[in-house]
Amino acid sequence: TANGLIGHGITAIVDPLSVANLTNQAVAPLATGENALNHEAVWAKLYWALTPRGQTGIATHAVSLIDTALWDIKGKALGVPIATLLGGARKEVPLYVTFGPAFLARDELVAVANAMVAQGFRHLKMVVASGALPGRDTRSMLQVVEQDTARVRAVREAVGDSIELYVDGNCSLDYPTAER
């Protein structure tokens, strides 16, 4: 900001270099000069300038990271955490940890899950379907589901029923496969 506040925003899943280039070349010029505390107006300006037909993709990631940075700036400017800006209805919220990249073998995956439970995590979210849609030419969606079912089952057996276990396909499944 003009007075030196710095807001941080993050994004994931898509190519970070593409998002950075889009942000620096197209998004930042649109946001520069706007009131950082008027984050909803900035979001609307960016969203409709970059996704006029409501599409998603790299542009939406760029808008999202700027929006997050503006919330960060607003919290810093007002001296309150973002949670307070969002209503602050709870003093605590449940926490989960994401794990389970596809490069881990099943025994490694189980070891990681057990280590997280030993550290006190009671809610674990597994990544499933890693690269499934782009990799359809090398393995079928049915194979993806079968392999992930075995991975999830191994973790469930290792951590027991008292641990909340979630799965996230990270936009890597088509609708029928996700439903299955």
Side-chain angles (χ1 to χ4, degrees):
T1 65
N3 66 357
L5 287 177
I6 297 172
H8 295 88
I10 62 171
T11 188
I13 300 173
V14 298
D15 175 42
L17 187 56
S18 297
V19 175
N21 287 334
L22 179 64
T23 300
N24 292 331
Q25 294 172 17
V27 181
L30 290 169
T32 299
E34 296 292 332
N35 180 345
L37 299 182
N38 195 0
H39 58 88
E40 290 182 19
V42 176
W43 181 92
K45 178 182 180 180
L46 298 176
Y47 182 81
W48 291 111
L50 296 163
T51 59
R53 298 172 100 186
Q55 298 101 344
T56 62
I58 293 172
T60 305
H61 283 266
V63 171
S64 176
L65 73 88
I66 294 294
D67 185 54
T68 303
L70 292 175
W71 277 99
D72 189 30
I73 287 169
K74 190 172 189 176
K76 289 173 179 174
L78 299 174
V80 296
I82 293 172
T84 300
L85 297 175
L86 295 173
R90 302 181 199 154
K91 290 185 182 244
E92 294 182 8
V93 294
L95 174 72
Y96 70 82
V97 62
T98 300
F99 77 108
F103 63 80
L104 291 178
R106 217 175 296 160
D107 59 333
E108 295 170 313
L109 185 64
V110 166
V112 170
N114 283 330
M116 288 184 215
V117 171
Q119 292 174 36
F121 288 101
R122 312 301 298 161
H123 304 265
L124 307 178
K125 183 177 84 167
M126 289 182 62
V127 175
V128 297
S130 182
L133 284 175
R136 285 177 294 190
D137 56 334
T138 58
R139 69 183 178 150
S140 73
M141 298 303 271
L142 181 58
Q143 288 173 312
V144 169
V145 170
E146 289 172 351
Q147 291 166 359
D148 281 334
T149 299
R151 290 166 52 84
V152 171
R153 185 174 290 121
V155 169
R156 169 54 71 210
E157 289 172 0
V159 300
D161 292 334
S162 66
I163 301 299
E164 294 289 333
L165 188 58
Y166 313 102
V167 295
D168 186 345
N170 282 320
C171 304
S172 293
L173 296 169
D174 57 24
Y175 181 77
T177 306
E179 188 174 45
R180 182 177 326 128

